[in-house]
Amino acid sequence: MSKKLTVAVVGATGAVGREMLKTLHDRQFPATEVRAFASARSAGSKVPFGDTELTVQELKEDVFEGIDIAIFSAGGGTSETFAPHAAHAGCVVVDNSSQWRMDERCPLVVPEVNPDALADHNGIIANPNCSTIQMLVALKPIHDAVGIKRVVVSTYQAVSGTGQKGLEELERQTRDLFSLRDPECKVYPYRIAFNVLPHIDVFLDNDYTKEEMKMTNETVKIFNDPSVKVTATCVRVPVFSGHAESVNVETVKKMTAKECRILLSQAPGLKVIDNPREKLYPMPAYIAGDDETYVGRIREDESIENGLNMWIVADNVRKGAALNAVQIAEELLRRDLVRVKDRNVFMA
Amino acid sequence: MSKKLTVAVVGATGAVGREMLKTLHDRQFPATEVRAFASARSAGSKVPFGDTELTVQELKEDVFEGIDIAIFSAGGGTSETFAPHAAHAGCVVVDNSSQWRMDERCPLVVPEVNPDALADHNGIIANPNCSTIQMLVALKPIHDAVGIKRVVVSTYQAVSGTGQKGLEELERQTRDLFSLRDPECKVYPYRIAFNVLPHIDVFLDNDYTKEEMKMTNETVKIFNDPSVKVTATCVRVPVFSGHAESVNVETVKKMTAKECRILLSQAPGLKVIDNPREKLYPMPAYIAGDDETYVGRIREDESIENGLNMWIVADNVRKGAALNAVQIAEELLRRDLVRVKDRNVFMA
């Protein structure tokens, strides 16, 4: 690793892109230079980076020369087009879109869960779906200890998962309703204010949403274990920030709630808040901006022999997106993996 | 059955009590007289009944003489004290509190599910928990057709389940946040506006909430089948009215999603809204005031051999409370069961 380390954020003007720049700065990521890219429309605008500002440059195919790591959060289409050019130029991409997640050539990584998968990268590393990341940070220690057979998860997902426009929609609709105006639906197909929508991302042929199938399929890839079955119902709730998940786990061997609490308390990236007598449990409105994944409401499920219920909460823009991506970049540095072995893998 | 039929609503000034009076009127319940009772504090006040008003009378032990049916929604303590006196006076009680639900002397009834249980009543009939009612209206046809082994349910429950004060808390906190004032928590232990709380009713020794164990235990009693296992996570969401439930069902025999959709479309009290391609699924904000229990997002769960996922929504104050109680009263009339066989069963 040379001393010079140039990092780019692609999609720097979006909610996650801004959080990525903030996270790079907050964690004192050892970049010697940070560049911000976005579409031509945003080129020339400024984005904050610590106490300074970066001028946004237009994303083009030839901008990646001399950039060591590019963290993408610009949508699947942009990633599909530009990530191969970055890798071809020798720049390692950490991509937050769903574009490359299930591609066999790309590791799909949660640093607390499967950092070793990074070793095989060829220039594009995928950041998992927000809901999957926080669930697997909590489930990994359990899977290692007693084996997980099956997971039934129902989510309570914040509008920040839809980006800045999701935040604006919830705020605008709430104000409209309190002003006796008809709330307009621009972002979601139905009202999100004072409502819940069992619909995140598009519907697939099997009547699951893409978001739900991400949780099923990404879990298998990240755990590298097709024996782990996940069935998911993903629901948008009128919360600005923070995803919560009600997670039911069937394990191979028995684990008591007490054992689970102790295990998760000692695991990386996790914080257990679980004292029902004192009314202590994690909630999305109270953990915004935090790096940790929070777990509470841990209890044995008496409906099966080896079952546990739990409640998992994290800041979806931070651990669910920006932080996990920056942690991947940190892990690449630590493992001396900031280089592309074969620059032609993604060039058709 | 005499032609004279006097009906009382006990707890008439509360949110559910008012909805009970509205439901009795809307459904043209054949009462010759309707009386409204509440605590001494509310005595003398007026409550609407159709185009007229009823003067609220003070609830006392000796008021039940000459009343045929009393529908209680006044809290567990009031039911514990007064329901036995009503039954002793020959008045049949339909009680909306949790006080009598698990009492072996009391039928626990959802008219679409187990109306035959009414035959054995001795003056006190219990109305199940709101979350249980809507779930079992949807699950009963499935249980009859292929047998249900296990249910994993996560709820999305509206603040109207806490009564008028829950509605006021969500509205006040939302206004406070939009006015940059600190939102005060009077009703819930934490902020409910733009947040979700994995905590409904009190915590029990097993770290489940009472609300969660109601779903487990009431299901067994209503289905009269201890082989049906339910594990629940109950969550309050910032929705004014309407409970939603993400329900995962493991059946004994296979049922396809298509078969389930057809079966539920023909079942009493149910309406299936389930067309993902057209973005059609039920949501709490769009079904307020409706009598039906809505089911959507029906799909096969590939994580087990015989599994289904579904999304069940109903107006918790209506089908979850007032309507179900009035339907029980209607069923008592239909079956000529408006009489108390043994008036001493509940007298110590």
Side-chain angles (χ1 to χ4, degrees), chain A residues 150 190 208 279 300-301, chain B residues 150 190 208 279 300-301:
Chain A
R150 179 179 179 235
Y190 302 96
Y208 283 80
K279 298 180 185 171
E300 284 147 54
D301 167 9
Chain B
R150 180 177 179 235
Y190 301 96
Y208 283 80
K279 298 181 185 172
E300 283 146 54
D301 167 9

Side-chain angles (χ1 to χ4, degrees), chain A residues 119-154:
Chain A
D120 301 323
H121 86 80
N122 260 297
I124 303 181
I125 297 148
N127 206 40
N129 179 45
C130 47
S131 308
T132 312
I133 291 174
Q134 68 183 69
M135 182 169 82
L136 296 194
V137 170
L139 295 189
K140 169 68 171 171
I142 301 170
H143 191 46
D144 286 348
V146 291
I148 290 176
K149 282 169 72 172
R150 179 179 179 235
V151 176
V152 181
V153 54
S154 297

Side-chain angles (χ1 to χ4, degrees), chain A residues 260-280:
Chain A
C260 184
R261 237 172 255 130
I262 292 168
L263 179 73
L264 299 189
S265 299
Q266 298 162 346
L270 283 175
K271 194 160 179 179
V272 174
I273 302 183
D274 191 12
N275 188 338
R277 264 145 218 83
E278 303 292 326
K279 298 180 185 171
L280 295 179

Side-chain angles (χ1 to χ4, degrees), chain A residues 225-239:
Chain A
D225 186 346
S227 76
V228 180
K229 309 292 183 193
V230 176
T231 188
T233 299
C234 291
V235 181
R236 187 77 65 193
V237 296
V239 165

Side-chain angles (χ1 to χ4, degrees), chain A residues 48 52 73 80 102 137 140 146 150 165 199 263 292 305:
Chain A
T52 65
S73 184
E80 185 183 12
M102 299 312 293
V137 170
K140 169 68 171 171
V146 291
R150 179 179 179 235
K165 62 184 190 295
H199 175 185
L263 179 73
E292 288 84 4
E305 208 173 335

